Amino acid sequence: MRQDDLYINKIDWISILIYAALVIIGWFNIYAAVFDEQNAKSIFDLSINSGQQLVRMGAAIIMILLIMVADYRLYDNLSMILYVFFLILLIATPFIGKEVNGQILTVGIGSVRIQPSEFAKFATALALAKYMERPSFDLSQIKYQLQALAIIMIPVILIMLQPDTGTAMVYFAFFIMLYREGMPQKYYVLALTIIAISLLALGVENNLYLVFAIAAVVAILIFLGKKKISRIISFIVIGLLMVAYVYSLDYVVSKLPQHQQNRIMVLFNPDLDPLGVGWNVTQSKIAIGSGGFLGKGYLEGTQTKFDFVPEQHTDFIFCTLGEEFGWTGSFIVILLFCTLLIRLVIMAERQKTRFSRVYGYCVISILLFHFMVNIAMTIGLFPVIGIPLPFFSYGGSSLWSFTILLFIFIKLDSHRIQMLGRMN
């Protein structure tokens, strides 16, 4: 068997087919989101979003071909160069970028513009994989934990300066990969505790109840734990820090931009301002709920037709699917995403090198975060932070960055045997 035949046989065609299905279904939903019954245009019309997205899909195919024909060693060798390049673009964006809705996110020439923060995701993933493949790297040591954290946090800080809080939050998904690679569990327990306390502090009107709960937990830990003075003092100090955090949270939230404060308030009280700050989520839930089991039919969604949901072709594309294809269509798309993620986990675990495995789990982490948070936004389970549904939402930067992210891993996976030989 020739080397080329062996390479083609190793390509994970299941993942490619799922990718194609999601992109095509997303394209049809983009058309539905902008469909005007009184002035209907062809789905291929370049003057509307679906036609423009089709051009971007063509560009994505070219990117896929370039990724798959390139030498697999290229992604390892250029990982740090790509990382530095996109860091420079992120630094330059506030100065040379175009402002949209108070944010300076895109750079480019004329109508061809990209969002560097989207592409920096795969560059950061490659940089982490390159750095962590070293034999001496050990996540149980604080030195290496801080170094990995620095690789993640540098783009986060630069993105926050744009400011783009939603995209910056995505980079914290890399901690899923770090957990797989041996980051101590105590950090995750601490993070989950802080998240739980934050949600309770924001959701409970009287913080005194939460303080009593913290005191009760500390008392139980002291009672059940070893009666060492140092252990008792530690529990008491931790409890006091938690109480201080609870009472400081309101002050921290008050310093956020008003639109972010509104999103947090609407999360805990959806009926607070249904005609104002709660409009998007309220209309999105109405659209999804009105679809019922089988949906109203393609291009028959009334919430969609009359533009009740803003940004329906981008951040809220899932509610178009829910209204027109109902629970059945939503379930199929969710099943496709879950199947792809499971497939990627299988692929990541069969890698022969740490570089490929780390990069694979970075891909999984980013896609999982986008998938879960975007859908949670549309049904009111997460604040609206403005991140797209992978392969599905309208936009060139998101489609291209997710495509590059995924197909670099598919390419690495197809050469996993050769990569082992190179490492040896």
Side-chain angles (χ1 to χ4, degrees):
M1 183 179 293
R2 293 183 306 153
Q3 187 71 22
D4 290 345
D5 294 333
L6 180 63
Y7 157 66
I8 292 174
N9 290 336
K10 293 291 184 180
I11 293 176
D12 194 83
W13 294 103
I14 295 175
S15 298
I16 294 176
L17 289 173
I18 296 174
Y19 163 85
L22 289 171
V23 171
I24 292 171
I25 296 172
W27 178 54
F28 278 105
N29 276 273
I30 290 169
Y31 178 63
V34 299
F35 179 71
D36 183 355
E37 197 169 22
Q38 302 300 321
N39 187 27
K41 296 181 179 181
S42 167
I43 192 172
F44 302 101
D45 194 319
L46 297 181
S47 66
I48 60 175
N49 289 341
S50 59
Q52 296 164 14
Q53 189 72 359
L54 182 62
V55 173
R56 291 162 177 159
M57 289 162 60
I61 292 174
I62 295 174
M63 292 177 183
I64 292 169
L65 294 175
L66 291 174
I67 290 170
M68 299 306 287
V69 300
D71 192 315
Y72 67 93
R73 292 166 290 195
L74 187 68
Y75 309 108
D76 187 343
N77 296 334
L78 294 181
S79 55
M80 286 302 179
I81 296 175
L82 287 170
Y83 179 69
V84 173
F85 172 75
F86 281 106
L87 288 184
I88 294 172
L89 269 186
L90 288 174
I91 294 171
T93 298
F95 303 100
I96 65 174
K98 181 180 178 181
E99 183 173 338
V100 179
N101 296 327
Q103 298 174 306
I104 304 176
L105 304 178
T106 63
V107 297
I109 301 174
S111 60
V112 181
R113 310 193 68 83
I114 64 167
Q115 187 173 336
S117 58
E118 290 288 344
F119 290 89
K121 295 172 189 174
F122 83 83
T124 304
L126 285 172
L128 281 168
K130 179 66 175 178
Y131 183 75
M132 293 175 62
E133 76 169 343
R134 296 183 303 171
S136 61
F137 188 88
D138 183 2
L139 272 175
S140 65
Q141 299 182 28
I142 294 179
K143 176 179 71 171
Y144 294 110
Q145 294 168 12
L146 292 175
Q147 291 170 354
L149 183 63
I151 293 174
I152 296 170
M153 291 306 298
I154 292 173
V156 168
I157 293 169
L158 295 175
I159 293 168
M160 288 294 291
L161 295 176
Q162 297 180 0
D164 186 4
T165 307
T167 303
M169 288 180 64
V170 176
Y171 285 75
F172 289 98
F174 287 121
F175 281 88
I176 299 174
M177 175 277 297
L178 293 177
Y179 179 80
R180 165 61 181 82
E181 294 301 315
M183 181 72 89
Q185 294 182 3
K186 60 184 178 182
Y187 297 128
Y188 295 87
V189 173
L190 177 62
L192 291 174
T193 302
I194 293 173
I195 292 171
I197 292 175
S198 300
L199 291 174
L200 289 171
L202 293 170
V204 177
E205 293 185 5
N206 191 342
N207 285 333
L208 194 59
Y209 295 120
L210 187 54
V211 171
F212 280 130
I214 292 172
V217 170
V218 171
I220 291 171
L221 290 174
I222 293 174
F223 178 76
L224 296 178
K226 296 179 180 179
K227 301 301 187 294
K228 292 183 178 180
I229 298 298
S230 59
R231 182 69 63 88
I232 293 173
I233 293 174
S234 298
F235 284 143
I236 293 174
V237 170
I238 292 172
L240 291 173
L241 289 174
M242 287 182 179
V243 171
Y245 176 74
V246 167
Y247 280 103
S248 67
L249 197 59
D250 287 338
Y251 174 79
V252 173
V253 171
S254 69
K255 295 302 179 181
L256 294 174
Q258 189 59 49
H259 70 279
Q260 293 181 1
Q261 294 184 44
N262 292 340
R263 290 171 180 175
I264 293 173
M265 289 189 294
V266 168
L267 176 66
F268 293 99
N269 188 0
D271 300 323
L272 178 66
D273 187 7
L275 299 179
V277 295
W279 175 266
N280 288 21
V281 175
T282 300
Q283 296 303 318
S284 175
K285 290 193 289 186
I286 291 173
I288 295 172
S290 66
F293 186 71
L294 295 175
K296 297 175 181 176
Y298 187 55
L299 303 181
E300 297 298 327
T302 53
Q303 293 291 112
T304 298
K305 282 183 182 179
F306 298 112
D307 296 326
F308 281 102
V309 184
E311 307 298 333
Q312 193 159 343
H313 60 298
T314 54
D315 301 339
F316 285 87
I317 189 71
F318 187 77
C319 69
T320 302
L321 175 75
E323 182 179 22
E324 298 192 347
F325 294 96
W327 182 90
T328 304
S330 300
F331 175 77
I332 291 172
V333 168
I334 290 174
L335 184 63
L336 284 172
F337 272 110
C338 291
T339 304
L340 177 61
L341 289 167
I342 293 171
R343 188 67 192 169
L344 292 175
V345 171
I346 294 172
M347 291 166 60
E349 287 297 328
R350 72 187 183 193
Q351 296 310 300
K352 308 300 181 181
T353 65
R354 192 175 193 182
F355 176 85
S356 297
R357 187 180 70 240
V358 169
Y359 181 78
Y361 271 100
C362 286
V363 176
I364 295 164
S365 302
I366 293 171
L367 293 180
L368 177 64
F369 186 92
H370 271 271
F371 163 63
M372 292 183 63
V373 171
N374 180 274
I375 294 178
M377 287 190 322
T378 62
I379 57 178
L381 295 179
F382 199 88
V384 178
I385 61 173
I387 63 172
L389 187 60
F391 317 121
F392 217 83
S393 295
Y394 172 80
S397 290
S398 62
L399 174 62
W400 296 336
S401 62
F402 286 128
T403 298
I404 294 171
L405 181 77
L406 174 64
F407 277 88
I408 286 178
F409 183 47
I410 291 175
K411 173 69 174 181
L412 293 175
D413 176 68
S414 66
H415 286 280
R416 57 188 180 275
I417 302 299
Q418 293 95 315
M419 288 193 71
L420 177 63
R422 180 181 64 84
M423 294 299 293
N424 292 334

